[in-house]
Amino acid sequence: MSFRTLRHTAAVIASLLVAAGCSTGSGPRGSAAEAHPAPGTSSTPPVTASASVPTESSVVKPNIVFVLTDDFSMNLVQYMPNVRRLQQEGTTFTNYTVTDSLCCPSRASILKGQFPHNTGIIKNHGSDGGFLLFNSRGQEKTTIGTDLQAAGYRTAFLGKYLNEYQPRLTMGTGKPYVPPGWDQWWVSGDAYKNFDYLINDNGRVVRYGKQPKDYLTDVMTAKATGFIKAGAASGKPFMIELSTYAPHLPFTPAPRDATLFPGLTAPRTPAWDRVPENSAWLAAKPRLTPAQIAAIDRYHRLRAQSVQSVDRMVGTVRDTLVKAGIADQTMVVFTSDNGYHMGEYSLPAGKQTAFDTDVNVPLIVAGPGVQAGREVPHIVENIDFRPTFSEWAGAPAPTESDGRSFVPLLSGALPADWRTAALVEHHDPASDPKDPDYEKDSINVPPSYDALRSETFTYIEYVDGKAEYFDRVADPYMLKNVVGTLTPERLAELRGALRGLATCVGPDACWTAGRALR
């Protein structure tokens, strides 16, 4: 029996122990929104492992359902009963960090398993970012999709791809372009309103209108269930990425959800309308105006409404897996490309900062061998999806990935050489009005920066030489920059570790740099 098979079998045994009540992990936190269930909430039963331990001949490669939301923040989970159920039945990574709080750089990191300085994608469009650069650099030749196809998987990509991608683009092929690695391709461009959009449907451009039946997330859900049913019937493993536009600006909810949560306002956390002490870039920021506060409250309500369709999608997909008899053979992953701030730090709605509101987003995994109701505090980044998916598929680790598989963390193990800090890099901020992430209030956008985020602190260096250090144990809302209290030795250590990560090239060098701090 192979090492991989032994490990898989051990993971299944662990899941059986959890099902028998032997888990020692803590349960999910309570929710303030229990009184606001989404309409049409799925009644997906808990998914548990089979009662028999598989032999080598019966072990199969798990299917993978990857749900990637857009601009999703931690405070929206409470309004999503199906996602909360996923937490209860799976594992949550509390220190999951994106490589850049901006759509395209983060999504490129997911596809390639590389930091933005290695993908070359540091912006949403133009000469230093976007789909056109990603394609021209040959980055699509090897991605999560091509890895899994080569491992025998049937693959599908639905929804939002990379900024600048448009369904009618041919990229010299003579027909609407479909990137390598995807057997099924149902992808739009600039469909942020979720209505009146074009789709490249496997090389054929289709227009959807403005009727309730055309709401993009709902259409995507129907397409996903069809793909899953076909995959179950074929007996071949599959991977499907469900990449929503929700809850990105303009925060358009499905018509059935447009009246939910009347009177809901944005959370007034300790960071609400408060500039951090000794801020390196926000010292002169005025307090929020009444008009800005009213807009933020309205936006938060729209965001809570818009994620109801995403929550139904999660429930419907999991129902489909159960009915198809493959729930115990399928890994379900829920996350976002980046977070979103709304009123914290006296900032209007937006992202791109190194605050946890923008870089620390949900990562929830459920499936065979995954412990239920458990939280993992170790540092995981979006560059880790590609090697993780490869391990699930029984494929070699990608040779170009800067990350590592987090499969051991799902079984409760912590490799001795696991990273101690995540890299967040943000350069050439989205300051072009043509960019969908453009923020007209320029003070809302930080200067370019590199940052280290560990389990306990965040250290940031800005392009102008200023720095910030937040002790997130003593100061969880990041309200006091205490970089001035650090010793010269500690500051030198942080600077060296950050430089090492921000300039690393190649998997070995980047993994070593991520362990520079102990």
Side-chain angles (χ1 to χ4, degrees):
M1 183 179 291
S2 68
F3 172 74
R4 191 176 300 276
T5 301
L6 285 169
R7 179 167 54 196
H8 185 90
T9 302
V12 173
I13 293 171
S15 71
L16 295 176
L17 294 175
V18 171
C22 298
S23 172
T24 58
S26 60
R29 297 187 179 97
S31 167
E34 292 292 345
H36 299 286
T41 296
S42 166
S43 58
T44 307
V47 179
T48 57
S50 168
S52 60
V53 177
T55 63
E56 180 176 10
S57 61
S58 66
V59 170
V60 296
K61 299 176 180 180
N63 307 305
I64 302 169
V65 175
F66 182 43
V67 180
L68 179 65
T69 55
D70 197 347
D71 288 7
F72 189 98
S73 52
M74 288 281 196
N75 57 23
L76 293 177
V77 172
Q78 62 184 312
Y79 307 109
M80 304 175 73
N82 286 298
V83 172
R84 295 201 307 275
R85 186 174 300 116
L86 192 70
Q87 283 185 312
Q88 294 164 3
E89 296 167 12
T91 290
T92 299
F93 291 85
T94 57
N95 278 308
Y96 170 68
T97 304
V98 297
T99 52
D100 190 342
S101 181
L102 192 61
C103 293
C104 200
S106 178
R107 289 166 181 264
S109 285
I110 290 171
L111 288 166
K112 296 295 293 182
Q114 293 177 311
F115 291 120
H117 71 265
N118 284 329
T119 65
I121 307 300
I122 61 173
K123 205 171 179 180
N124 283 338
H125 73 308
S127 61
D128 52 2
F131 161 71
L132 297 179
L133 179 62
F134 192 77
N135 174 270
S136 68
R137 289 171 59 93
Q139 299 282 40
E140 292 174 300
K141 294 177 180 178
T142 56
T143 64
I144 280 180
T146 62
D147 291 347
L148 294 184
Q149 254 192 358
Y153 276 62
R154 187 166 173 260
T155 59
F157 195 113
L158 280 63
K160 177 181 176 179
Y161 185 44
L162 297 172
N163 298 75
E164 285 190 324
Y165 178 86
Q166 295 296 335
R168 288 194 173 117
L169 288 173
T170 64
M171 309 310 292
T173 65
K175 59 182 179 180
Y177 175 71
V178 176
W182 305 103
D183 297 301
Q184 295 293 316
W185 184 255
W186 191 88
V187 175
S188 186
D190 298 333
Y192 294 98
K193 294 181 180 179
N194 278 273
F195 286 111
D196 195 20
Y197 53 91
L198 296 177
I199 290 286
N200 179 338
D201 187 348
N202 295 311
R204 182 174 64 97
V205 177
V206 180
R207 176 175 289 281
Y208 288 79
K210 300 179 181 179
Q211 299 301 311
K213 66 179 181 179
D214 296 317
Y215 187 75
L216 189 145
T217 309
D218 292 343
V219 180
M220 186 190 309
T221 301
K223 295 288 183 182
T225 57
F227 178 82
I228 290 169
K229 290 175 182 177
S234 73
K236 186 177 181 178
F238 63 81
M239 179 270 187
I240 181 170
E241 178 167 340
L242 302 173
S243 181
T244 72
Y245 282 85
H248 194 287
L249 186 78
F251 321 123
T252 306
R256 72 181 100 170
D257 302 321
T259 60
L260 292 178
F261 312 115
L264 182 67
T265 59
R268 268 49 169 182
T269 71
W272 171 263
D273 200 13
R274 181 176 171 186
V275 174
E277 294 180 34
N278 306 315
S279 173
W281 64 284
L282 282 171
K285 178 73 177 70
R287 294 179 66 89
L288 296 170
T289 66
Q292 287 174 322
I293 292 173
I296 288 169
D297 285 337
R298 180 168 59 89
Y299 291 161
H300 181 69
R301 185 165 58 254
L302 287 171
R303 283 166 60 81
Q305 293 169 351
S306 72
V307 296
Q308 298 310 302
S309 60
V310 179
D311 190 64
R312 281 193 296 272
M313 180 176 71
V314 172
T316 298
V317 164
R318 298 192 76 206
D319 278 340
T320 303
L321 294 170
V322 171
K323 292 174 182 176
I326 56 173
D328 61 351
Q329 303 168 29
T330 304
M331 310 301 298
V332 180
V333 181
F334 178 90
T335 191
S336 178
D337 57 359
N338 51 256
Y340 210 69
H341 58 255
M342 300 192 69
E344 295 93 347
Y345 314 107
S346 293
L347 293 172
K351 50 191 176 184
Q352 306 187 61
T353 79
F355 294 123
D356 270 4
T357 51
D358 297 6
V359 302
N360 176 217
V361 298
L363 172 56
I364 307 165
V365 181
V370 178
Q371 296 183 26
R374 182 168 168 265
E375 292 185 350
V376 174
H378 310 304
I379 297 294
V380 171
E381 286 206 79
N382 51 1
I383 55 174
D384 298 331
F385 287 123
R386 189 178 176 191
T388 298
F389 290 8
S390 289
E391 179 163 352
W392 281 337
T399 58
E400 63 184 356
S401 175
D402 298 332
R404 292 283 176 91
S405 168
F406 56 71
V407 168
L409 303 182
L410 289 169
S411 62
L414 176 63
D417 66 343
W418 194 255
R419 68 164 65 88
T420 56
L423 171 67
V424 182
E425 48 183 313
H426 184 69
H427 305 286
D428 199 3
S431 55
D432 186 337
K434 297 179 182 179
D435 192 321
D437 291 320
Y438 169 68
E439 297 171 20
K440 62 181 179 180
D441 184 355
S442 61
I443 202 167
N444 201 21
V445 182
S448 296
Y449 65 82
D450 292 315
L452 286 175
R453 187 183 183 281
S454 77
E455 293 180 20
T456 60
F457 71 83
T458 298
Y459 172 71
I460 312 159
E461 288 185 359
Y462 294 94
V463 67
D464 60 4
K466 294 179 181 178
E468 292 177 328
Y469 182 95
F470 295 98
D471 178 348
R472 299 196 326 277
V473 175
D475 177 25
Y477 288 95
M478 303 175 70
L479 293 171
K480 188 174 183 179
N481 171 23
V482 295
V483 71
T485 68
L486 301 179
T487 65
E489 293 77 15
R490 177 59 171 167
L491 199 55
E493 180 185 24
L494 290 167
R495 286 172 174 166
L498 181 54
R499 286 303 94 210
L501 262 178
T503 60
C504 70
V505 177
D508 292 339
C510 288
W511 192 254
T512 298
R515 296 184 286 113
L517 290 174
R518 289 291 179 183

